[in-house]
Amino acid sequence: METHIESHLVEKRVFKPPKDFQRRARIKSLAQYQKMYRESIRQPDKFWRREAKELTWHKPWKRVLEWKAPFAKWFVGGQLNISENCLDRHLTGPRRNKAALLWEGEPGEKRTLTYQQLHREVCRFGNVLKRNNIRKGDRVIIYLPTIPEAAIAMLACARIGAVHSVVFGGFSADSIRDRIADSGAIALITADGSYRRGTIVPLKKNVDEALQSGTSVKRVIVYKRAGNEIHMKEGRDVWWHRELEYVDANCPPVWLDSEHPLYILYTSGSTGKPKGILHTTGGYLLGIYCTMKYVFDVRDEDIYWCTADVGWVTGHSYVVYGPLANGGTTLMYEGAPNWPEPDRFWKIIEEHGVTILYTAPTAIRAFIRWGDAWVKKHDLSSLRLLGSVGEPINPEAWMWYRKTIGGGRCPIVDTWWQTETGAIMITPMPGAIPTKPGSATLPFFGVDPAVVNEVGDEVGPNIGGKLILRKPWPSMLRTIYGDKERYKKQYWSEFKGSYLTGDGARRDKDGYFWIVGRIDDVLNVAGHRLGTSEIESALVAHDAVAEAAVVGRADDLKGQAVVAFVTLKGHANLTPRLKTELRDFVGVHIGAIAKPDEVRFAEALPKTRSGKIMRRLLKEIASGQSVTGDTTTLEDFSVLGRLSAEE
Ligand code: 7RM
């Protein structure tokens, strides 16, 4: 019986970095990448010391790394402040008057904050925090829309050494309550409401509900965003704008130990209780600083847009901290991609002259479904680099992204990483590494990934297995907040000394990594272990299909049967033959073993707010069970009802 994950989908297309991009890039050739990579693995201290010197330290570190597996301390003895690195250090030269943050609200308002203005707002709000008895080490929940105040609140916490925990604006009162209880937060920063597809999400109302019974939260600071009517509880709730009247703009950064906690970000665990991923200061800053510099190759003249919500790790690392640490211009957009019409993203790119776009496969597949006409209405020639994150990107979606959005001239960086890794781990360097549609390609500096079998031996080319990381890295999670044992068990117990990512992957003959999905989602069909992503990618390659999610259902004969949930493109007809056609299509592209036993057409798939398909829920639906377990991260609950009703 086979134990490795089989791989059948063959992708032969290769795209070299465009010459002009290459010439101007920081890393200009595969050889240069390889040389730097080798050094980062053989002499990590030397490599990271050199990179860390580009940051601003108050006190130099004594040791680069102290590794008592699985607990790491980076830049031991060093002191710094991340808000100082993101703001103050850019104020001494011409960057002072450069846009740090460009923002567009869903209803269409625009705001620009220069570095000097953002610095001032962060300092003032830092003083508001202090005025409200928030001190170094205290935990603060941030429950805000993607508005500049979210970045201001995060940076202000960091400035005074408070630990922020951002909760997605789309999450419910229950999620807020769980996160307060786990973190022991003493304060919460929110807004009256936020906009989503033209309606107002009642953020403050959710907060009131979350705080109803016994809570550690003593203070709620409320930003007036949507103007909806809310209740202010006397003695607990204060208005952001009123608080500002009492403070000045003098708020020196507090010098913090490199290992001082920066934030806790909750991710849904496979079982009930969410995990509070803890990131600290020096190593995290270095990780996001370096990846932003080399992977996006960001320049002073770039307008960089990462479309993630601030409530996701991508929003932390690549909307706020990464771009600002590099003195870049980061664009934030509050709303939905199809509001008021499906061309909102392209309109934003045209109007702001966006040069780098970083978005998720789920969004790309939605754009494909909505049709090219929406894209064609706009001039996207300002773009020079595209990025993808969050899920494996189906090769056909990758090709569409390259051609239709990138005009065939922009490299694509498919970046693999996790909340836990803090920063990008596997990715092309856009001026150096040839790309293949669907592959995240090669490891970032200092990252030592491997694909292993059940007993931890590295498997050969194109054989699937578990993706592990064999060396500690600066931006790694330090623990699960309040639960060291769970941290050890979850990530470090299966293979001694290595970090278990939970993803399945294979490596091709060029050493490129292909992520095949979460290990928990791997199917076992008649003794063949199949990753979900290849079958899904084969389905998405069919002209009628917009999205596909593949899950297993218990089957007496085969062990598991393959069930595919499929949504169709706008123009596609649901003909009686389509099911058979799709099954055969998978048969031709992958092999008979992967042919779905069942194809179910759906209007939409259940997803998290960050756009990941929730296969766990689909498994339950496919086997006729009612949906149980944690659904707090689900974006749109009505999808579930509709899916179950399809039967
Ligand atoms: C950044 C983020 C992490 C999980 C990860 C993977 C999947 C993310 C890619 C990807 C294939 C990618 N953090 N994932 N990026 N799979 N290719 N480029 O997404 O904590 O929310 O999720 O997302 O399964 O383990 S996360």
Side-chain angles (χ1 to χ4, degrees):
M1 156 126 171
E2 312 252 15
T3 54
H4 64 257
I5 305 167
E6 293 173 34
S7 189
H8 301 265
L9 199 68
V10 193
E11 174 58 60
K12 293 218 174 78
R13 292 168 286 204
V14 182
F15 296 90
K16 290 208 183 106
K19 280 273 174 312
D20 53 332
F21 194 101
Q22 196 156 24
R23 216 173 307 121
R24 298 190 350 224
R26 288 187 177 87
I27 301 174
K28 298 176 185 344
S29 68
L30 193 57
Q32 188 189 349
Y33 157 77
Q34 283 161 339
K35 186 163 170 260
M36 286 175 75
Y37 179 72
R38 262 196 307 275
E39 186 201 25
S40 75
I41 295 296
R42 287 180 192 160
Q43 293 164 285
D45 283 21
K46 185 173 166 217
F47 181 89
W48 290 122
R49 192 180 302 126
R50 192 175 59 233
E51 291 292 335
K53 282 201 173 140
E54 293 180 12
L55 301 170
T56 301
W57 295 81
H58 174 61
K59 205 171 130 196
W61 61 87
K62 293 204 178 71
R63 279 184 73 185
V64 173
L65 170 65
E66 187 187 297
W67 178 227
K68 291 186 184 136
F71 298 99
K73 289 185 180 163
W74 284 86
F75 304 101
V76 185
Q79 285 194 342
L80 74 167
N81 186 290
I82 195 167
S83 91
E84 216 248 339
N85 274 276
C86 288
L87 301 168
D88 308 52
R89 72 185 182 126
H90 305 311
L91 299 184
T92 53
R95 275 186 189 158
R96 178 189 182 85
N97 298 317
K98 162 184 176 170
L101 208 156
L102 301 171
W103 174 79
E104 216 177 288
E106 194 184 76
E109 323 90 303
K110 291 181 175 66
R111 284 168 64 190
T112 302
L113 287 159
T114 64
Y115 270 96
Q116 119 83 24
Q117 289 168 330
L118 183 60
H119 173 262
R120 185 178 155 79
E121 293 311 312
V122 168
C123 288
R124 291 170 77 208
F125 195 65
N127 285 335
V128 168
L129 295 176
K130 287 192 263 182
R131 220 183 93 75
N132 283 280
N133 286 323
I134 298 158
R135 303 274 176 264
K136 179 176 161 185
D138 289 340
R139 275 82 61 216
V140 177
I141 301 278
I142 299 177
Y143 183 63
L144 284 170
T146 297
I147 54 176
E149 282 65 28
I152 292 167
M154 290 160 79
L155 289 160
C157 284
R159 197 164 186 87
I160 67 163
V163 184
H164 62 70
S165 184
V166 182
V167 177
F168 249 138
F171 285 175
S172 63
D174 285 347
S175 316
I176 307 169
R177 195 181 303 118
D178 288 352
R179 285 151 177 75
I180 293 170
D182 191 80
S183 66
I186 62 154
L188 193 152
I189 303 165
T190 189
D192 47 0
S194 74
Y195 291 96
R196 190 78 187 172
R197 294 202 176 84
T199 62
I200 293 176
V201 183
L203 296 178
K204 178 60 166 58
K205 193 164 151 270
N206 295 344
V207 168
D208 291 341
E209 211 180 308
L211 298 183
Q212 243 166 29
S213 52
T215 175
S216 50
V217 169
K218 305 265 184 307
R219 181 68 80 232
V220 178
I221 304 174
V222 186
Y223 181 76
K224 194 179 204 124
R225 163 68 187 123
N228 51 315
E229 211 169 294
I230 59 166
H231 172 70
M232 294 290 280
K233 185 172 167 174
E234 179 110 26
R236 186 194 70 186
D237 303 350
V238 295
W239 284 106
W240 179 304
H241 61 274
R242 294 295 302 274
E243 287 299 297
L244 285 181
E245 292 171 12
Y246 301 100
V247 297
D248 61 20
N250 179 24
C251 180
V254 174
W255 301 114
L256 302 168
D257 284 337
S258 179
E259 282 301 330
H260 185 74
L262 174 64
Y263 68 78
I264 303 167
L265 186 59
Y266 287 87
T267 70
S268 56
S270 45
T271 52
K273 196 170 175 262
K275 298 177 283 191
I277 304 302
L278 181 77
H279 283 292
T280 59
T281 304
Y284 175 78
L285 172 63
L286 184 62
I288 51 104
Y289 169 74
C290 268
T291 46
M292 191 73 211
K293 180 175 69 160
Y294 291 122
V295 178
F296 296 106
D297 205 21
V298 69
R299 304 288 164 166
D300 264 326
E301 51 283 16
D302 275 315
I303 308 279
Y304 161 89
W305 182 23
C306 168
T307 67
D309 189 291
V310 283
W312 185 24
V313 69
T314 311
H316 288 58
S317 298
Y318 298 108
V319 175
V320 178
Y321 291 118
L324 298 178
N326 279 277
T329 297
T330 184
L331 191 149
M332 267 175 143
Y333 166 58
E334 178 187 38
N338 55 351
W339 188 266
E341 301 213 277
D343 64 343
R344 185 62 184 269
F345 274 24
W346 322 125
K347 197 162 168 279
I348 291 175
I349 290 174
E350 180 169 16
E351 281 178 18
H352 294 268
V354 171
T355 57
I356 305 175
L357 174 67
Y358 190 30
T359 193
T362 182
I364 296 168
R365 293 188 301 256
F367 298 135
I368 298 174
R369 185 169 62 221
W370 296 332
D372 293 10
W374 292 108
V375 186
K376 296 280 177 321
K377 279 177 68 176
H378 298 278
D379 176 7
L380 304 184
S381 60
S382 58
L383 288 171
R384 67 178 193 91
L385 177 62
L386 304 174
S388 171
V389 58
E391 285 180 295
I393 178 165
N394 318 107
E396 286 321 308
W398 195 101
M399 291 302 295
W400 182 89
Y401 195 27
R402 180 185 148 84
K403 178 166 168 260
T404 312
I405 306 306
R409 78 187 172 272
C410 306
I412 298 179
V413 288
D414 174 1
T415 61
W416 177 88
W417 59 294
Q418 306 176 302
T419 305
E420 291 88 339
T421 69
I424 293 167
M425 296 280 108
I426 303 180
T427 176
M429 302 286 175
I433 299 178
T435 53
K436 305 182 189 184
S439 171
T441 75
L442 298 171
F444 187 73
F445 303 130
V447 178
D448 184 21
V451 179
V452 298
N453 62 19
E454 304 297 321
V455 294
D457 294 330
E458 209 168 346
V459 297
N462 288 320
I463 295 179
K466 296 183 178 184
L467 180 66
I468 61 167
L469 304 175
R470 297 179 293 195
K471 268 190 191 321
W473 63 98
S475 63
M476 65 191 275
L477 78 165
R478 298 304 194 263
T479 188
I480 293 177
Y481 189 72
D483 201 345
K484 273 186 186 171
E485 286 312 311
R486 191 172 177 199
Y487 166 72
K488 279 199 225 170
K489 190 158 174 284
Q490 173 101 36
Y491 302 110
W492 300 92
S493 62
E494 195 164 331
F495 304 110
K496 203 173 161 26
S498 289
Y499 167 86
L500 185 74
T501 67
D503 284 347
R506 73 184 160 91
R507 224 176 162 173
D508 68 16
K509 61 173 193 345
D510 299 323
Y512 279 37
F513 286 87
W514 299 75
I515 310 297
V516 303
R518 300 290 297 168
I519 285 288
D520 295 345
D521 296 331
V522 166
L523 312 177
N524 197 330
V525 184
H528 298 267
R529 284 165 52 78
L530 307 170
T532 49
S533 81
E534 291 189 350
I535 309 179
E536 290 164 1
S537 287
L539 287 162
V540 170
H542 188 283
D543 190 45
V545 176
E547 273 198 304
V550 165
V551 299
R553 161 168 58 64
D555 181 275
D556 289 343
L557 219 58
K558 301 203 286 184
Q560 273 187 323
V562 180
V563 181
F565 291 84
V566 169
T567 67
L568 298 179
K569 284 186 196 158
H571 66 80
N573 282 329
L574 214 177
T575 59
R577 279 204 44 34
L578 191 56
K579 279 190 185 184
T580 328
E581 210 179 295
L582 291 179
R583 296 188 63 234
D584 293 344
F585 194 79
V586 174
V588 170
H589 285 264
I590 300 185
I593 188 72
K595 271 190 177 182
D597 297 273
E598 205 182 312
V599 177
R600 292 203 195 183
F601 296 106
E603 262 173 69
L605 301 173
K607 290 184 191 166
T608 65
R609 272 300 295 270
S610 63
K612 291 188 217 304
I613 297 169
M614 293 178 83
R615 289 185 191 72
R616 184 169 53 81
L617 305 186
L618 290 172
K619 275 185 221 172
E620 293 174 343
I621 291 169
S623 55
Q625 300 162 10
S626 57
V627 171
T628 56
D630 182 20
T631 52
T632 52
T633 57
L634 188 66
E635 152 95 338
D636 175 4
F637 280 90
S638 65
V639 169
L640 273 190
R642 275 179 278 152
L643 279 169
S644 310
E646 304 281 330
E647 292 168 49

